[in-house]
Amino acid sequence: MIGSANEVMNLAAKAARGGGAPVAQAYAFGRAAACHLIANRPAADLSAALDALPKGPILDLPLLLMACAEARQNEAEIPAGPLPDLTLSYAQSQSFACTATRSGSQITLSQTFDQPAAQLPVKRVTLPDALAARMQTLAAGLLVPETEASRRAGAGAGLTDND
């Protein structure tokens, strides 16, 4: 599948949410997934992160980076973890200026909290078909079944759809 970075980001976030990730971590995964693919890092890392749900890097990496930001550490060392390229993508996806370099089993973050992150190039992103299908399957888990009982419980627009 070839799509915009925004489409890939949204699909990845929905997939993580469908796989059991909390909303904030799912959103962070979507941003990191777009950064990951734009940087031509291995798509297999994204599959591995989704396979680890409801645990794993999708839950752990945003919390790790948040702890570094809350401590206001301009320089921080974090473990590279089992998916070091994905860790680099999470660092790159921060809203403030953050660079990450890997050295062995450690990643060094250089963070500037009062400077916004550089904008990533807007471009088309290639998402491997197998990964796109996996993400779409997980994202479908967010949908409510179309039944009379679900409609009575409030699902759907009902008779007044004014979107």
Side-chain angles (χ1 to χ4, degrees):
M1 170 185 145
I2 298 177
S4 70
N6 195 44
E7 290 169 329
V8 170
M9 180 178 73
N10 288 330
L11 178 59
K14 288 179 182 177
R17 187 74 183 109
V23 174
Q25 279 97 334
Y27 175 74
F29 177 69
R31 286 180 48 91
C35 290
H36 198 77
L37 294 171
I38 288 170
N40 294 315
R41 295 183 178 121
D45 290 353
L46 303 177
S47 292
L50 288 168
D51 290 342
L53 285 171
K55 296 179 180 181
I58 293 175
L59 273 64
D60 298 340
L61 288 174
L63 297 176
L64 180 62
L65 291 170
M66 186 186 311
C68 291
E70 287 175 348
R72 304 296 284 180
Q73 297 173 317
N74 290 332
E75 296 286 327
E77 283 199 7
I78 61 173
L83 300 171
D85 286 337
L86 185 58
T87 305
L88 295 174
S89 297
Y90 267 92
Q92 184 181 12
S93 72
Q94 296 300 301
S95 60
F96 50 85
C98 181
T99 58
T101 54
R102 184 172 63 180
S103 175
S105 63
Q106 293 290 332
I107 291 180
T108 302
L109 301 175
S110 296
Q111 306 173 109
T112 308
F113 302 105
D114 59 354
Q115 180 180 344
Q119 292 294 317
L120 294 175
V122 178
K123 64 183 224 176
R124 307 292 285 170
V125 177
T126 301
L127 184 64
D129 290 337
L131 179 56
R134 171 93 169 105
M135 286 182 173
Q136 288 168 342
T137 299
L138 285 169
L142 295 176
L143 301 175
V144 175
E146 188 176 328
T147 64
E148 187 58 36
S150 66
R151 280 190 283 285
R152 278 194 309 270
L159 297 176
T160 57
D161 185 4
N162 56 6
D163 292 351

